[in-house]
Amino acid sequence: MNTGTNPAGAALRAARDGGLRRMYAAQAVGAVVDGAVLATAVLYFGTRVGVPVPWIGLVLGAGNLAALAAAVPLGALADAVGARRAAVGFTCLVGASLAVYAVADGPWTYAVGAVVFVVAQTGLGAARQAVVAARVEPRARVAARGRMHTLLNAGMGAGTVLGALVLAAGADAGFTLLYGGGALVVLGCALLLAGMPADPADSAAAGRDRRISAALGDRRLLAVTALTSVVQLCLPVLSVILPLWAAQGTRAPGWVPAVALGLNTVLVLAVQRPWADRVVSDAAAARSALWAAAALPGGCVLLGAAGTGGAAAATALVLAGIVLITVGEVAGGPPAWHLALRDVPAALQARHQAVFGMAGSVARIAGSAALLPFVLAAGAWGWAAVGAAMAAAAAGLALLARPVRRDLPHGRPGPGQAPGQPTEL
């Protein structure tokens, strides 16, 4: 039946489009709040509230480890209750954590707010992505995730600017207003998601398989997640390693890391979505992964070389290196999304999203705990080693994409494809 002239089909598409618009709005607005909180929380609690810096580091490490351990159970919970309901619940938890931030006056209240914030964000990310995936065709899932990623970066960038303004003002009341107001805004996002039109296909799929470990049996997903965790080392490179390397290992002016991060943000906003739109087949995913495999080590070599020149040369090398790192970041994401998530059944979407999301957590933990001291100690050779590891992981994604070709000639079915089922080009 042609749903183009079918009122029921048209109503279903309209409901899904309305739900996507609400989710995209919640993603963008929530990211602004997240960016403002992440830009200010450590400085506020460390310098204004008087929480010891080692305690802050311990709490953030514990929060990331708790989020890593909780990722799969939270994904299973989202599949069991429905991704939309889970997204509403996790959004409320984020709002509650910000309310705790607004009244926190010591180490323990800060710890409660910080750990709940990190863990709730883990569940929320998986649930949001599952909601979007249930409302688009499998072929469009990579493009939809590219849009979500772009909105996340745009919102985080705007939130960082907002946080910088609060820091510049320096008033304690400004931080309280930021966290309290952020809690109200996030709860508004929860109401926005609660009003989303229900997706019949998603509702029918939710709860069919309640096994917490269902996604962990997917060896392809685990392989892609492991490789992606190495490719995503580019994220701590940008946010943690580069600022300290520029300050301690190069003669670059102090403003260079901020400009480099801004350049990365602008390039991702401009390029990520159109790049993701083109990754619609295994062959396209393999080509994109190879672009990442070429760009990431080049960027790392340039960053390492920045330690050998004067101020002007160091500045030029850092900025050039960031351009290549950004190309690797943009090119490395879509093939991983395609391989890990495109063909996942609706009943397992949140669990797969949660397992795949562990790649980012592993990358952030490894970047701060292992790569930072290694690069600062080894210098240019350390940068080269990090680049080689990321290149090898991206090449591994390309190899995973090659064997499972869906664009086979003469209409022959691909692996796991029923005879007569159309192939994708």
Side-chain angles (χ1 to χ4, degrees):
M1 181 178 292
N2 183 3
T3 59
T5 59
N6 179 7
L12 177 60
R13 287 198 307 276
R16 286 179 170 175
D17 290 345
L20 286 174
R21 285 193 293 271
R22 284 173 175 260
M23 181 56 73
Y24 291 149
Q27 176 85 340
V29 174
V32 173
V33 176
D34 295 345
V37 171
L38 294 175
T40 60
V42 170
L43 287 174
Y44 170 67
F45 286 105
T47 61
R48 300 301 183 91
V49 179
V51 178
V53 172
W55 178 260
I56 291 176
L58 179 63
V59 167
L60 293 178
N64 281 310
L65 289 175
L68 193 62
V72 174
L74 292 178
L77 175 64
D79 281 331
V81 304
R84 180 178 63 87
R85 292 188 186 93
V88 172
F90 291 135
T91 302
C92 290
L93 278 178
V94 172
S97 71
L98 295 182
V100 173
Y101 267 11
V103 300
D105 58 359
W108 288 105
T109 46
Y110 162 72
V112 170
V115 172
V116 172
F117 180 82
V118 174
V119 174
Q121 288 284 7
T122 297
L124 178 58
R128 280 177 176 170
Q129 295 290 353
V131 169
V132 172
R135 284 167 166 75
V136 299
E137 297 298 326
R139 186 181 179 90
R141 284 176 180 169
V142 172
R145 191 176 180 102
R147 174 175 290 188
M148 291 284 281
H149 189 74
T150 299
L151 291 171
L152 177 65
N153 277 276
M156 291 286 287
T160 300
V161 173
L162 176 60
L165 293 175
V166 173
L167 288 170
D172 288 350
F175 295 97
T176 302
L177 180 62
L178 175 65
Y179 302 138
L184 294 177
V185 170
V186 168
L187 292 178
C189 290
L191 292 175
L192 188 68
L193 298 179
M196 288 178 62
D199 189 310
D202 187 31
S203 299
R208 287 179 183 168
D209 186 341
R210 296 178 181 270
R211 292 175 299 146
I212 291 178
S213 61
L216 295 177
D218 187 336
R219 288 180 292 179
R220 181 182 175 88
L221 170 66
L222 296 180
V224 173
T225 301
L227 293 171
T228 303
S229 67
V230 181
V231 174
Q232 288 191 350
L233 290 173
C234 60
L235 301 180
V237 162
L238 290 165
S239 61
V240 178
I241 302 174
L242 175 62
L244 290 173
W245 167 250
Q248 298 181 18
T250 79
R251 297 179 181 176
W255 50 263
V256 167
V259 171
L261 187 58
L263 177 61
N264 166 262
T265 301
V266 170
L267 291 175
V268 170
L269 292 178
V271 179
Q272 184 69 83
R273 184 178 172 187
W275 193 297
D277 287 348
R278 300 181 64 178
V279 180
V280 295
S281 67
D282 288 334
R287 288 193 296 270
S288 185
L290 290 175
W291 270 97
L296 289 169
C300 286
V301 168
L302 291 178
L303 293 178
T308 62
T315 300
L317 287 169
V318 166
L319 296 180
I322 287 301
V323 171
L324 287 180
I325 292 289
T326 304
V327 171
E329 177 188 353
V330 168
W337 306 336
H338 170 90
L339 292 168
L341 304 169
R342 196 191 69 164
D343 297 326
V344 176
L348 296 176
Q349 265 293 334
R351 266 164 286 193
H352 277 67
Q353 296 282 357
V355 171
F356 181 73
M358 294 168 70
S361 298
V362 170
R364 285 189 290 271
I365 293 171
S368 300
L371 289 191
L372 176 60
F374 172 67
V375 168
L376 293 180
W381 288 107
W383 279 108
V386 172
M390 289 192 289
L397 291 176
L399 288 175
L400 281 179
R402 289 293 184 183
V404 189
R405 295 290 299 274
R406 294 176 175 84
D407 48 345
L408 297 176
H410 311 303
R412 291 188 288 109
Q417 182 179 13
Q421 182 180 348
T423 57
E424 291 191 5
L425 298 177

